[in-house]
Amino acid sequence: MTTLGSPALDRRTAWPTALAAAAMLLATMLLLVGVERLTGRDVFALPFVASVAVLAMAPRAPLARPAAVLLSYPTCTAVAAAVTAVTGPSVTAATTATTASVLVMLLLRTPHAPAAVCAALVGLTAPGPLYVLHTVLPAAFVVTGAAVLCGRVLPAYGYPPTWR
């Protein structure tokens, strides 16, 4: 199956593939909005929206795999929380947290660029130690779960539910 950005994408498959990606993106974004309204938690935040875009446009890329999303977010958030606890929220904390998070993601082989954005956000705002539990993990599970579901429902959306 071809996906956006694939050299095999031709005129016959471009529209169905693009429409399936757009449907996945729209459905997941609406789900994040609904979860945010129900819980009052900021799950419709830029890092999670960026994850939805990555999973919509490049569902078979290494950074879109469930392991990358579900392991990188809590890891990056924990790293950023530790940095921010020592330094306080600042641009320096955000920079340090992002750099350390990218290093950890690469060592764990779970790269997911939007999780680095989450680390920067934590470094700037210091949302507290429970942020990973009440915001980050629910958002990561919503994004990944929606991608898996859309991969089964939308024939032209090729999200592989394999862990790695």
Side-chain angles (χ1 to χ4, degrees):
M1 179 173 298
T2 56
T3 59
L4 292 177
S6 168
L9 192 64
D10 62 22
R11 290 179 207 209
R12 293 176 322 222
T13 58
W15 275 100
T17 302
L19 289 174
M24 178 275 179
L25 187 124
L26 178 62
T28 308
M29 299 273 285
L30 291 174
L31 187 57
L32 286 172
V33 168
V35 169
E36 181 165 315
R37 287 190 178 158
L38 285 173
T39 65
R41 300 297 176 187
D42 295 328
V43 296
F44 193 84
L46 292 180
F48 312 121
V49 171
S51 290
V52 176
V54 166
L55 272 63
M57 292 186 290
R60 294 191 180 278
L63 71 157
R65 295 206 174 124
V69 178
L70 295 174
L71 295 177
S72 66
Y73 269 112
T75 302
C76 291
T77 304
V79 167
V83 168
T84 307
V86 172
T87 66
S90 67
V91 173
T92 303
T95 302
T96 304
T98 304
T99 303
S101 293
V102 168
L103 176 67
V104 170
M105 283 189 288
L106 291 173
L107 290 172
L108 293 174
R109 290 185 279 180
T110 58
H112 188 68
V117 176
C118 187
L121 180 67
V122 170
L124 286 172
T125 63
L130 296 180
Y131 182 70
V132 70
L133 295 176
H134 63 62
T135 302
V136 172
L137 285 176
F141 279 110
V142 166
V143 169
T144 307
V148 169
L149 181 63
C150 287
R152 292 186 177 160
V153 174
L154 300 169
Y157 176 68
Y159 188 71
T162 56
W163 182 247
R164 288 207 185 248

